[in-house]
């Protein structure tokens, strides 16, 4: 479980997260929606320990992410994160990209790491492209490669930061299909997305962010179809029509 308590995050005088509370249960798909600059992506980076916080706590499986004694490198093995940018090593094949972190971080023998990489490339539908370099892959394929790289570390949680926003519309579906497969496998997922239809159909819960605050959180279909808060309703009317 991930529990966020009274979290505050600032950049200088600008407070971008203003005392939020959230709880994500194991096995849930939890989508974060809201306008640009509302604090969604920053929250993911705080959960992963990539950004320091000013107040509050983030607890992952009983571990306080931002406590001084926490080994962040060890904790991040529980928390796979995928960004809009693919961040693959251009000089390595897809197979080598996926096998790299298990070899370097987990000290898995090369042959075992390569076998692990093949399994994860097949999971995301890239088994036949294992020996291709990233530049030879489409944007959707490169994003699925990024997902395979994160999965190869066998995380307990996957964090996705607007992973379809940089893709051409026809490539979005293949990435979202991979997310559905992950959901079916029981993976806990926290996903920042602008794809409201996908969030409604695939998420268990949705939180609507506005100006660093959570205006509404609840069952995915309820939040999208019957929002309780006027600010949520205004946002959804603007993005869905």
């Amino acid at each position: 479980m991930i529990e966020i308590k009274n979290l505050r995050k600032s950049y200088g005088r600008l407070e971008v997260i203003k005392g939020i509370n959230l709880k994500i249960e194991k096995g849930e798909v939890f989508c974060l929606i809201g306008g640009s600059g509302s604090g969604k992506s920053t929250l993911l980076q705080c959960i992963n320990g990539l950004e320091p916080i000013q107040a509050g706590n983030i607890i992952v499986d009983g571990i306080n992410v931002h406590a001084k004694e926490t080994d962040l490198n060890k904790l991040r093995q529980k928390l796979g994160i995928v960004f809009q940018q693919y961040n693959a090593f251009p000089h390595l094949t897809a197979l080598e990209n996926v096998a790299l972190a298990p070899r370097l971080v987990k000290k898995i023998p090369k042959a075992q790491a390569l076998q692990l990489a093949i399994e994860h490339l097949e999971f995301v539908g890239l088994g036949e492209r294992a020996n291709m370099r990233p530049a030879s892959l489409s944007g959707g394929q490169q994003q699925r490669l990024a997902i395979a790289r994160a999965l190869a570390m066998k995380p307990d949680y996957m964090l996705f930061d607007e992973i379809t926003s940089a893709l051409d519309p026809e490539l979005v579906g293949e990435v979202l299909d991979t997310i559905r497969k992950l959901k079916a496998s029981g993976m806990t997922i926290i996903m920042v997305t602008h794809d409201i239809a996908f969030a409604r159909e695939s998420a268990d819960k949705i939180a609507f962010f506005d100006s660093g605050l959570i205006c509404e959180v609840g069952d995915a279909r309820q939040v999208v179809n019957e929002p309780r808060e006027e600010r949520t309703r205004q946002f959804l009317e603007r993005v869905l029509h």
Side-chain angles (χ1 to χ4, degrees):
M1 183 177 71
I2 297 177
E3 191 168 7
I4 298 163
K5 302 177 182 179
N6 302 314
L7 181 67
R8 291 183 177 273
K9 165 66 184 174
S10 300
Y11 293 104
R13 294 183 179 180
L14 178 64
E15 190 172 36
V16 293
I17 296 178
K18 304 173 182 178
I20 67 168
N21 295 277
L22 270 181
K23 187 180 291 186
I24 296 99
E25 303 285 353
K26 277 285 182 71
E28 276 189 337
V29 176
F30 203 110
C31 280
L32 311 177
I33 65 171
S36 298
S38 58
K40 311 178 305 296
S41 297
T42 300
L43 175 61
L44 288 193
Q45 295 181 50
C46 291
I47 292 172
N48 194 259
L50 293 170
E51 284 286 350
I53 63 176
Q54 275 61 56
N57 292 290
I58 300 173
I59 311 297
V60 177
D61 292 344
I63 300 170
N64 190 332
V65 174
H66 295 272
K68 290 182 179 179
E69 66 272 14
T70 297
D71 183 341
L72 277 178
N73 289 327
K74 184 177 180 180
L75 179 65
R76 285 182 185 137
Q77 294 180 34
K78 285 177 166 283
L79 295 160
I81 188 166
V82 181
F83 300 99
Q84 294 178 47
Q85 299 83 10
Y86 316 129
N87 297 323
F89 292 102
H91 63 292
L92 300 179
T93 64
L95 183 66
E96 292 166 337
N97 263 286
V98 178
L100 187 63
R103 287 181 61 195
L104 296 182
V105 179
K106 291 197 167 183
K107 309 301 181 184
I108 293 175
K110 182 177 180 179
Q112 185 180 342
L114 290 173
Q115 180 58 42
L116 183 72
I118 289 170
E119 292 171 4
H120 285 95
L121 286 170
E122 289 177 346
F123 178 83
V124 301
L126 293 178
E128 295 181 355
R129 291 171 171 78
N131 293 313
M132 296 175 67
R133 293 188 178 181
S136 300
L137 302 175
S138 70
Q141 290 167 346
Q142 289 188 59
Q143 194 58 280
R144 285 184 283 149
L145 170 59
I147 294 171
R149 288 175 62 200
L151 290 176
M153 292 298 289
K154 296 189 178 297
D156 296 322
Y157 304 90
M158 285 296 297
L159 314 178
F160 294 109
D161 187 9
E162 298 185 16
I163 60 172
T164 61
S165 63
L167 299 178
D168 292 334
E170 65 267 26
L171 300 178
V172 169
E174 63 189 46
V175 176
L176 295 181
D177 284 344
T178 301
I179 304 299
R180 292 187 182 97
K181 285 183 68 177
L182 273 179
K183 176 183 178 180
S185 75
M187 175 67 74
T188 308
I189 296 170
I190 308 175
M191 184 174 180
V192 172
T193 183
H194 291 297
D195 192 328
I196 305 300
F198 174 80
R200 177 179 56 199
E201 299 304 319
S202 301
D204 297 300
K205 291 181 181 177
I206 288 177
F208 169 58
F209 274 67
D210 185 51
S211 301
L213 295 168
I214 296 176
C215 290
E216 184 166 351
V217 60
D219 174 81
R221 288 175 181 263
Q222 172 266 304
V223 171
V224 176
N225 295 337
E226 299 176 3
R228 297 190 177 100
E229 301 296 328
E230 180 60 26
R231 184 66 189 91
T232 313
R233 189 175 296 111
Q234 291 172 354
F235 171 80
L236 290 170
E237 286 178 353
R238 190 172 73 247
V239 300
L240 291 175
H241 301 292

